[in-house]
Amino acid sequence: IRGYLFADVLPVDNGVVELYREENQEWIKVMETGTVNGEYEFDDLIKGKYLIHARGNEQVHFAFIPTYFVNGISWFDAYHLDLEHPVEEVKITLIRSEELNATGQGALRGSIAAGEEIVPNIVLLKDQVSGKVMRWTVTDANHGFSFDGLPYGRYKVTAEKPGASFSQSFELTEASPEILDFEMNPGVVSDVKDLLNLSTLNVYPTKFNDEIHLENKGYTSENLLIELISTSGKQ
């Protein structure tokens, strides 16, 4: 597989391109390479189904979100390659983020729960209301990550890796401008999308194994449609 990585119309130098192959219905990372003047290649591959994920230098290309081929931010939006023969000209253009227009005193320090089978290495910061990606970072050797200079507001953090994406929400206020012990865990209830604005809806436990409870103390005569979405994006 050979191709090119761009940020807008400019080739990305010193970018990172990861290759994942489907094995037993799971996506396994099999190779990683860098880019030279936008070019990358993977050699000596066996036949199979592949996903490609690319990112620029975090310091240089901070305004461009890591992107799957062709143009997906989440792994389940990616286009997979059924490799039977060599593939040329696989072009990936990094998606520009909706950057924060202002800075603030807010800060987030967090980590991905250690010991989990799936440990994402890309962390996306989103506006909780619009769902747009504002910033991104890569976890360190201890699975930690941080975002600084954030305005007060409601945000969502998504840990992203082929095969599993999971999110958790948080809010920064003047009274609580910093969160320094934010832990992400695939077994935690991450978000409740309440289209009816039911202030009486309660979900517990927040960390669960095989059973979850949804309690609604209001609108008892109404029919509610409940959808549970797993960390792999399946309903």
Side-chain angles (χ1 to χ4, degrees):
I1 298 176
R2 296 179 177 86
Y4 299 88
L5 178 62
F6 290 88
D8 285 338
V9 297
L10 298 177
V12 173
D13 205 21
N14 296 319
V16 176
V17 184
E18 300 175 334
L19 186 67
Y20 293 80
R21 184 175 64 240
E22 187 179 46
E23 298 180 5
N24 300 320
Q25 297 184 329
E26 293 185 4
W27 291 103
I28 307 299
K29 182 177 175 179
V30 292
M31 287 189 185
E32 178 180 309
T33 189
T35 61
V36 179
N37 196 29
E39 295 187 50
Y40 70 90
E41 69 176 65
F42 298 104
D43 295 321
D44 302 321
L45 302 178
I46 63 175
K47 294 180 180 181
K49 186 181 294 185
Y50 291 87
L51 285 181
I52 303 177
H53 192 216
R55 64 180 184 269
N57 182 291
E58 188 177 358
Q59 304 303 318
V60 177
H61 302 98
F62 55 87
F64 295 90
I65 311 165
T67 304
Y68 291 95
F69 175 73
V70 177
N71 57 354
I73 295 177
S74 299
W75 73 271
F76 44 79
D77 294 326
Y79 183 87
H80 68 260
L81 298 173
D82 287 315
L83 191 64
E84 292 287 339
H85 306 285
V87 180
E88 305 281 350
E89 304 293 330
V90 181
K91 179 181 177 181
I92 304 173
T93 301
L94 298 175
I95 297 175
R96 182 179 287 274
S97 68
E98 300 288 340
E99 294 181 81
L100 292 173
N101 295 321
T103 59
Q105 302 300 313
L108 177 72
R109 301 280 189 280
S111 62
I112 308 297
E116 294 296 333
E117 193 171 308
I118 299 176
V119 182
N121 62 346
I122 299 294
V123 182
L124 306 175
L125 178 70
K126 303 179 181 180
D127 177 85
Q128 188 176 7
V129 177
S130 68
K132 293 181 178 180
V133 178
M134 302 298 183
R135 296 183 187 176
W136 65 277
T137 189
V138 183
T139 54
D140 58 27
N142 297 316
H143 315 306
F145 61 89
S146 64
F147 294 102
D148 296 307
L150 301 178
Y152 301 144
R154 298 166 61 194
Y155 299 93
K156 178 186 293 185
V157 172
T158 297
E160 171 64 36
K161 187 175 182 178
S165 300
F166 56 96
S167 302
Q168 287 180 224
S169 301
F170 68 96
E171 183 175 9
L172 299 177
T173 64
E174 186 174 359
S176 301
E178 296 182 339
I179 299 177
L180 305 179
D181 55 355
F182 192 79
E183 183 181 68
M184 298 191 69
N185 189 314
V188 172
V189 176
S190 59
D191 187 26
V192 176
K193 295 181 179 179
D194 182 3
L195 301 181
L196 298 178
N197 295 317
L198 299 178
S199 60
T200 56
L201 189 65
N202 184 35
V203 180
Y204 63 91
T206 56
K207 187 173 183 179
F208 65 94
N209 291 319
D210 57 6
E211 189 174 61
I212 185 170
H213 298 266
L214 293 96
E215 182 181 52
N216 179 31
K217 295 181 180 179
Y219 296 87
T220 54
S221 63
E222 298 290 336
N223 291 324
L224 300 180
L225 174 64
I226 304 298
E227 294 180 331
L228 185 64
I229 309 298
S230 72
T231 59
S232 64
K234 295 181 181 179
Q235 187 182 71

